[in-house]
Amino acid sequence: MNPAGKPGKTSTLMAVEVALARLLEMAEATPIVERERLPLAQVEGRVLADDLISTLDLPPWPNSAMDGYALRTADWTGEPLVVSQKIFAGSAPDPLKPGTCARIFTGAPVPAGADCVEMQENAEVQADGRVRFTETLTPGNNIRTQGQETTVGELILPAGTRLGPIEQGLAASLGCAELDVIRKVRVAVLSTGDELVEPGQTLGPGQIYNSNRVLLCSWLQRLGCEVIDAGILADNLETTRARLGELKDVDLILSTGGVSVGEADFLGIALREEGELTLWKLAIKPGKPLTFGHFRGVPVIGLPGNPASTLVTFALLARPYLLRRQGVKEVAPLKFQVPAGFAWRKAGNRREYLRGRLENGRAIIYKNQSSGVLRSAAWADGLVEVLEDRTLIEGDSVSFIPLSEVLG
């Protein structure tokens, strides 16, 4: 029996989980270790090279969470208190005089001797300027304690963290002006096929415009990669060998098309003759003819040529590989369960990823799931996962992967 439970049907196909595990294992074997130090404003989308350790307490002193009045609760007997000082954020207050309160504003340091901040809404200012409190006072109320967020020596962000606006803000709060990040992965992108023509040129008989390379180059830039556009590769073995040989100073060659088992599978032939072919033919739809190997030591991922196949295999396999090369630990996209808003009556022997979107809490799918239809992904906001050998009726639970999880 095979993993899908049907004799002979998927014996030559590699399960998606197995393929991903192998890709990540090979990524970990050749990590990108070179680093560069960049200003904090330029690290968005990059991968942190070293653990970020706090060098100070945050906040560095107790401060007020409210506009109000700071006092010592034991001093409040029900009689109005004199306001002995006014404390603004950024100032250094004097110790609180016994039997008084201090006017204080959000973020301002709490004066020594005070153990409570009462919000101004619960305070009544008397005609003589003294303040009376209308609610029960509790020690510690509305005070942010020193080190509430971080303490000296605490791990804040581990190495391998992808840096976004929140992480940049957190680093700034610790006083970091620069961070060490992993250098960008250098990825050469090429397309194969005599039928391909660049946008803007005139189409000849049997030709189509090349959409995959534009999609991948843009996507790779979102991932923080350095992209080398290697153009369109003609269906010719010698040309394929020569072009691959020119790309020796990159971390990955990423191609689309030319990875089937047909006579024009020149990429596969080149890998077999002058490198190695590690995996190919996956139990995934769309995207079965994905290839991974090496050409003269340079890793090569060959994605299928149909646009939807390119999108699915890059999102679920090539993207995690690239992130793991940079040391990112968590590479799996968010996936959650939703009710199916459609029926799926024919069980397949491959894991299917349908272009769909959520409407009224249910996943619905695009009417045409052909691997050649990129419009389905533009309409969709996620991928709906249908497991091998499974049929569905409306309301059954399915896994949904938002496209926002994989596009950046």
Side-chain angles (χ1 to χ4, degrees):
M1 297 291 287
N2 55 62
K6 295 186 179 181
K9 288 195 72 177
T10 61
S11 59
T12 61
L13 302 181
M14 182 179 291
V16 175
E17 293 88 350
V18 174
L20 179 58
R22 291 193 184 180
L23 281 169
L24 295 181
E25 184 179 298
M26 288 180 280
E28 291 169 0
T30 55
I32 308 298
V33 296
E34 297 87 357
R35 61 181 63 198
E36 55 183 330
R37 192 165 186 82
L38 293 178
L40 189 58
Q42 297 178 19
V43 301
E44 201 275 329
R46 304 295 293 274
V47 177
L48 189 63
D50 297 310
D51 292 342
L52 179 61
I53 305 296
S54 179
T55 57
L56 71 162
D57 292 342
L58 282 181
W61 18 253
N63 70 86
S64 178
M66 295 281 181
D67 289 350
Y69 296 87
L71 69 151
R72 189 168 71 96
T73 52
D75 289 342
W76 169 243
T77 62
E79 295 298 320
L81 297 178
V82 171
V83 178
S84 58
Q85 62 179 307
K86 190 176 290 187
I87 310 168
F88 295 96
S91 64
D94 297 325
L96 185 68
K97 293 179 180 180
T100 71
C101 64
R103 181 73 165 112
I104 194 168
F105 297 91
T106 303
V110 175
D115 64 3
C116 170
V117 171
E118 183 65 356
M119 66 177 71
Q120 61 189 18
E121 290 83 354
N122 295 336
E124 294 178 351
V125 180
Q126 308 298 298
D128 60 3
R130 293 184 302 162
V131 178
R132 177 178 171 275
F133 301 101
T134 60
E135 301 293 333
T136 302
L137 302 178
T138 304
N141 202 32
N142 297 319
I143 293 178
R144 301 171 181 142
T145 58
Q146 180 173 339
Q148 180 187 69
E149 183 175 1
T150 69
T151 56
V152 174
E154 185 179 355
L155 173 63
I156 305 303
L157 294 172
T161 298
R162 289 192 73 204
L163 300 167
I166 294 173
E167 290 77 15
Q168 288 172 282
L170 185 54
S173 73
L174 296 171
C176 299
E178 299 176 321
L179 288 175
D180 287 329
V181 295
I182 298 298
R183 74 155 170 82
K184 291 185 175 184
V185 183
R186 293 188 289 268
V187 183
V189 180
L190 56 85
S191 303
T192 65
D194 292 336
E195 76 280 10
L196 297 178
V197 173
E198 296 293 0
Q201 298 180 2
T202 302
L203 288 176
Q207 292 183 322
I208 59 173
Y209 287 119
N210 181 14
S211 62
N212 284 337
R213 206 170 76 258
V214 173
L215 177 139
L216 290 175
C217 288
S218 177
W219 203 339
L220 288 163
Q221 288 169 351
R222 277 191 169 200
L223 290 174
C225 298
E226 178 184 338
V227 181
I228 295 90
D229 189 341
I232 296 174
L233 193 59
D235 288 330
N236 178 279
L237 182 56
E238 291 306 317
T239 302
T240 299
R241 283 200 195 101
R243 181 65 59 83
L244 293 177
E246 294 170 356
L247 302 172
K248 56 188 175 183
D249 294 325
V250 299
D251 301 303
L252 176 70
I253 298 171
L254 185 66
S255 73
T256 60
V259 294
S260 68
V261 294
E263 293 181 4
D265 176 23
F266 298 114
L267 178 66
I269 294 171
L271 294 181
R272 290 181 180 93
E273 290 182 351
E274 296 197 48
E276 59 178 338
L277 189 59
T278 305
L279 60 87
W280 68 302
K281 294 182 69 176
L282 308 187
I284 187 174
K285 184 177 181 180
K288 179 177 73 172
L290 178 139
T291 296
F292 180 84
H294 292 79
F295 184 84
R296 300 175 187 173
V298 179
V300 179
I301 293 180
L303 302 176
N306 283 317
S309 300
T310 296
L311 183 143
V312 168
T313 51
F314 184 88
L316 301 179
L317 296 159
R319 175 184 177 273
Y321 169 86
L322 287 165
L323 293 177
R324 187 60 58 85
R325 288 284 300 271
Q326 299 172 79
V328 179
K329 299 301 181 186
E330 297 298 328
V331 296
L334 172 69
K335 180 165 64 173
F336 52 86
Q337 298 295 305
V338 296
F342 62 95
W344 195 255
R345 295 183 174 86
K346 185 178 179 181
N349 66 336
R350 289 184 279 163
R351 181 87 44 93
E352 300 207 34
Y353 291 91
L354 312 173
R355 278 71 70 206
R357 67 186 183 191
L358 299 181
E359 288 190 0
N360 299 317
R362 293 190 163 209
I364 62 172
I365 58 174
Y366 193 71
K367 59 185 177 180
N368 186 344
Q369 290 293 321
S370 167
S371 61
V373 178
L374 187 59
R375 184 178 178 183
S376 62
W379 173 90
D381 58 23
L383 299 175
V384 181
E385 183 182 63
V386 178
L387 300 179
E388 301 88 336
D389 302 312
R390 183 168 182 200
T391 58
L392 299 169
I393 60 172
E394 288 196 35
D396 281 350
S397 182
V398 292
S399 293
F400 186 84
I401 303 171
L403 286 178
S404 59
E405 280 288 300
V406 295
L407 286 175

